[in-house]
Structures are given as C-alpha cells and as structure tokens.
Amino acid sequence: DSGVTQTPKHLITATGQRVTLRCSPRSGDLSVYWYQQSLDQGLQFLIQYYNGEERAKGNILERFSAQQFPDLHSELNLSSLELGDSALYFCASSDSENQPQHFGDGTRLSIL
Amino acid sequence: DQQVKQNSPSLSVQEGRISILNCDYTNSMFDYFLWYKKYPAEGPTFLISISSIKDKNEDGRFTVFLNKSAKHLSLHIVPSQPGDSAVYFCAASEYGDMRFGAGTRLTVKP
C-alpha cells in the first residue's frame, strides 16, 4: 500500500463530457503529480503541484486542468472528452523534489 | 519528446540468472534517476534510485548503474526470481520534473 488513494478506480463516460479524478497523497507529502498512461505507452507527466501551487507542467492539454486544495488532496479535471483520452491516470506524491514518488493504483477512464 | 528511452519492450530470463534492463536519456540536466516496478492493475512501485553524483547504487538483489558520459542507466537483478516478473520503468528527474521510459516487460521463467 503506497498510501496514495485515487478515486474512482474506473470511470466510463461519453465523448464531450467532463470528469473529475481525485487523489489523496501520502500523509505528509506536499507534492502531487499527475500522469497519463495510454495503451502500451509509458507514463506521460501532466502536471505537478507543491503545497497548493502549480510547480511544473508537462504534456497537459488545455482541456485538462488540476488543482491542489489546502488539505493537499488534488483533483484532475478533464473536459470535452475525446476517445483518445481513454487511458489510465495515475497520481503520485512525494515529500520533496528529487525524492521517489509514490503512486496510487490509478483511475481507468474509458470514453465511449 | 522522448527524453528517456527503454529500447527493449520485453526481456525473458531464466530463474537464478542475471536480468539487465537498460535505459538511455538525452537531457544532460537530469540529476536523479529511478527505477519503478509495475504489476498489472497496480500503480508503479519505487524500486531503487541514484543521484547523478554517483555511478552505482545497490540494494539487495538490485543494483543501478549510471554512466553519465553515455547518458545510460541500467538495472541489474541478481539472482532473478519469478516474482520479479513485471514491467520496469526507468525515470529521470530534473528538479521534480520526472520523465519516464515506455517500460520493459521482464519475464523470469522458473
């Protein structure tokens, strides 16, 4: 158990819809990271938050946004969903940069 | 933008032998390197790391080697066990901006 909790585990929705993925980091971790893993591909870094503030941005689409709340949990919002957004979305947390990140078990998003 | 590459999608090894997983990177600013293991239906699990000031780090059966001049990272597992069968991701970080390779599926045969 990594201590990182992601909900929901599975999400099925239709094109054009909007969804919110939730992540609770490990106790004490201030950094939260979001990754996307499409079929047979590696982990694509989307965005990082540190103590409520955006710290780094990767290959995140403009239709996607995220935030980290005062209690340090984070949400990833995906809007105007397209078939290609179907993927596993992982959240990870760490207590500081250049430390191992601890991953949740992911949310599997399926767009029909 | 593939700054971290794992050129072998799969590797099969006999139980008890050495498994060597390789990783190449292009960004010379990376200063922290990690290996993660991933089982199906689970998130990646941290295995071992190395900072750019070292060239070797060992933890039990796992050793990571870093060759900065060649921008090459490798993970050695000795001896390999069937429970090591998983997908292994290498990752490289520059101040927390972490990039992952596409993964190598290791199969250890009994």
Side-chain angles (χ1 to χ4, degrees), chain A residues 21-41:
Chain A
L21 313 183
R22 183 188 167 100
C23 170
S24 294
R26 257 184 358 153
S27 177
D29 285 355
L30 298 179
S31 279
V32 169
Y33 308 79
W34 286 97
Y35 294 87
Q36 179 192 57
Q37 185 183 24
S38 300
L39 193 64
D40 292 335
Q41 298 210 359

Side-chain angles (χ1 to χ4, degrees), chain A residues 30-85:
Chain A
L30 298 179
S31 279
V32 169
Y33 308 79
W34 286 97
Y35 294 87
Q36 179 192 57
Q37 185 183 24
S38 300
L39 193 64
D40 292 335
Q41 298 210 359
L43 293 157
Q44 298 294 320
F45 169 65
L46 296 178
I47 197 163
Q48 178 205 355
Y49 279 82
Y50 178 82
N51 203 20
E53 295 199 2
E54 183 183 305
R55 190 66 160 235
K57 239 177 181 176
N59 300 322
I60 188 166
L61 299 172
E62 285 191 10
R63 300 184 286 109
F64 297 180
S65 64
Q67 52 185 327
Q68 187 179 26
F69 295 87
D71 67 352
L72 300 177
H73 92 270
S74 178
E75 292 181 356
L76 179 67
N77 301 296
L78 316 177
S79 61
S80 303
L81 286 168
E82 302 175 0
L83 292 175
D85 297 329

